[in-house]
Amino acid sequence: MSSYLSQVPANSLRQRMIDDMNMRRYSRETQRNYVRDVARVATYLGRPPDTATAEDLRQFQIDQRASGMGVPTMNSIVAALRFFFTHTLDRPDLSRKLFTVKHPRALPVVLSPDEVARLLDATTCLKHQAALSVAYGAGLRVAEVAMLKVRDIDSERMLLRVERGKGGQYRNAILPADLLILLREWWRVGRQQGVMHADGWLFPGQHEMKPISTRHLHRIVAEAARSAGITKKVGPHTLRHSFATHLLEDGVNIRVIQALLGHAKLETTAFYTKVATRTARAVISPLDKLALLPAPQPQVSPDG
C-alpha cells in the first residue's frame, strides 16, 4: 500500500471515504487523488484529518498559497477536502471554510487534423494507435479510455458506452466507422497475443487483468508526438481538445458537442470557440461589408 494511503489515519476512516466515493461511482483515478489530497492535510497537521478545525484549514490554505502551489492543484485539494468533510464526516460547516481560487484558464493546445494523423501514424503498435484513436475519435478523457471494456463497444448502434466518466456519470460516445474497423483489428491481434477477452479490458495493461494506466497513455502520446516532429506540448487530453474543436469548426451544434464530451455546463464546452480558428476565419467582418476601400482597377497593358 502506498505511503500516502497509510497517512490517512484510521483504516475505518479511509475505507469509509472510499465507500462513499464508490457509492457515487467516482473513477479509480479520482478516488486515488482524493485520498492522496486528504493525506496532505494529515501530513500537514501531524494528526488525523478528522480532528481538523476551521482555523487549521484556514492556515493550511494560507501556507499552500505561500509555498507557491499552483492554483489548479490548490483547487483540486479543496474538492477532495470538501468531499471528505461533507460526505464522510458529515461536517459541512468545515467544508464551507474552504475556498477555491479563480484563475484565468489557459487556452488548450489543439492539433490540426494533419498533426493528429501524423501522431497516430507515429505510434509503435496497434494497441497504442487504437487507444489514441479512441481518445480523438470519440473525445474521451484519458481515464475513460483506460477503463473501457470490450463489452462497452456497441457496434449495432455505433456507440461507446462510458460507464464511469467524470463524477461517475454514464454517457454514450460516438463510435466512428473507421475506429470500429481499427478496434476489430486490435481485437483480432489481441486475441492472438492472448491478452484480449470478451469480458476483459479493451486496453489491458502489463497484466491482462488490469487496464492500461493513464500514466502509460501520457507516455505513449508524448513519444508519438516526438516521433511525428510535433513540437507542441501534448498529452492524451490534447486529443480530446482537438476532437471538440474540429467538431465545432465543422459546424456541429455546441449542445451536441457538450453531450458527447459529458460536460455538465455549456460554458465549459463554449470555451472551445476561442480556439476554433476555422470558424473565426469563416466569419465576415462588418468592416468588409462597408466597402470603404476602392475596388481594384483592372490592369491595362502598355500596348493598350
Side-chain angles (χ1 to χ4, degrees):
M1 185 173 293
S2 60
S3 59
Y4 66 77
L5 283 175
S6 62
Q7 292 168 8
V8 179
N11 286 336
S12 59
L13 180 61
R14 180 175 64 251
Q15 189 58 51
R16 182 182 176 87
M17 181 180 177
I18 293 172
D19 290 342
D20 288 337
M21 290 188 286
N22 279 329
M23 282 193 298
R24 291 162 179 81
R25 296 187 175 277
Y26 281 25
S27 70
R28 189 175 303 177
E29 185 174 21
T30 298
Q31 292 189 32
R32 182 176 65 246
N33 291 341
Y34 274 25
V35 172
R36 178 200 61 205
D37 289 340
V38 172
R40 291 178 189 260
V41 178
T43 301
Y44 174 83
L45 296 176
R47 62 180 196 274
D50 59 336
T51 65
T53 65
E55 180 58 29
D56 288 333
L57 296 179
R58 175 179 175 273
Q59 195 58 51
F60 172 70
Q61 290 203 272
I62 290 173
D63 290 348
Q64 276 187 314
R65 184 64 181 270
S67 69
M69 181 176 287
V71 170
T73 303
M74 291 172 60
N75 289 342
S76 296
I77 294 173
V78 167
L81 294 178
R82 282 179 173 169
F83 181 93
F84 176 71
F85 288 116
T86 300
H87 300 293
T88 303
L89 295 186
D90 195 20
R91 290 290 308 277
D93 56 309
L94 287 179
S95 180
R96 288 192 293 270
K97 299 297 181 181
L98 297 160
F99 62 89
T100 56
V101 181
K102 291 185 178 181
H103 64 104
R105 183 179 173 186
L107 290 177
V109 174
V110 173
L111 301 178
S112 69
D114 175 68
E115 287 174 322
V116 173
R118 284 162 45 204
L119 185 142
L120 295 178
D121 285 341
T123 51
T124 58
C125 67
L126 183 59
K127 172 183 171 181
H128 294 173
Q129 185 181 56
L132 300 193
S133 295
V134 167
Y136 174 68
L140 300 195
R141 300 176 178 92
V142 61
E144 294 170 347
V145 174
M147 297 302 292
L148 282 174
K149 293 191 173 181
V150 173
R151 65 169 181 262
D152 293 329
I153 301 174
D154 186 342
S155 58
E156 291 187 4
R157 296 193 299 160
M158 296 304 287
L159 296 173
L160 286 173
R161 290 187 291 268
V162 181
E163 292 193 353
R164 300 183 75 171
K166 190 173 183 180
Q169 299 297 313
Y170 287 69
R171 77 176 191 280
N172 288 323
I174 61 174
L175 176 59
D178 286 350
L179 179 57
L180 177 59
I181 294 172
L182 182 61
L183 291 177
R184 282 175 170 165
E185 178 63 14
W186 162 232
W187 165 257
R188 186 186 65 79
V189 171
R191 293 282 285 179
Q192 290 177 348
Q193 295 174 353
V195 298
M196 294 288 283
H197 306 281
D199 293 325
W201 302 104
L202 184 57
F203 303 112
Q206 291 184 338
H207 191 288
E208 64 188 63
M209 300 304 292
K210 293 184 178 181
I212 191 170
S213 70
T214 56
R215 182 175 296 181
H216 191 191
L217 287 171
H218 276 275
R219 286 200 300 269
I220 292 169
V221 174
E223 290 170 3
R226 189 162 48 249
S227 298
I230 297 171
T231 57
K232 298 174 181 176
K233 185 177 180 180
V234 300
H237 217 68
T238 307
L239 295 171
R240 176 173 160 90
H241 290 321
S242 302
F243 165 84
T245 304
H246 296 165
L247 286 183
L248 192 62
E249 291 180 335
D250 287 339
V252 177
N253 186 283
I254 195 168
R255 288 285 187 184
V256 174
I257 299 174
Q258 177 189 5
L260 293 176
L261 292 174
H263 284 161
K265 298 179 180 178
L266 181 61
E267 63 189 55
T268 305
T269 314
F271 192 69
Y272 290 109
T273 60
K274 297 184 178 182
V275 290
T277 56
R278 199 188 316 164
T279 303
R281 290 197 301 268
V283 175
I284 299 175
S285 169
L287 177 66
D288 290 341
K289 296 181 179 181
L290 296 180
L292 294 178
L293 298 179
Q297 298 299 316
Q299 297 292 327
V300 179
S301 68
D303 299 332

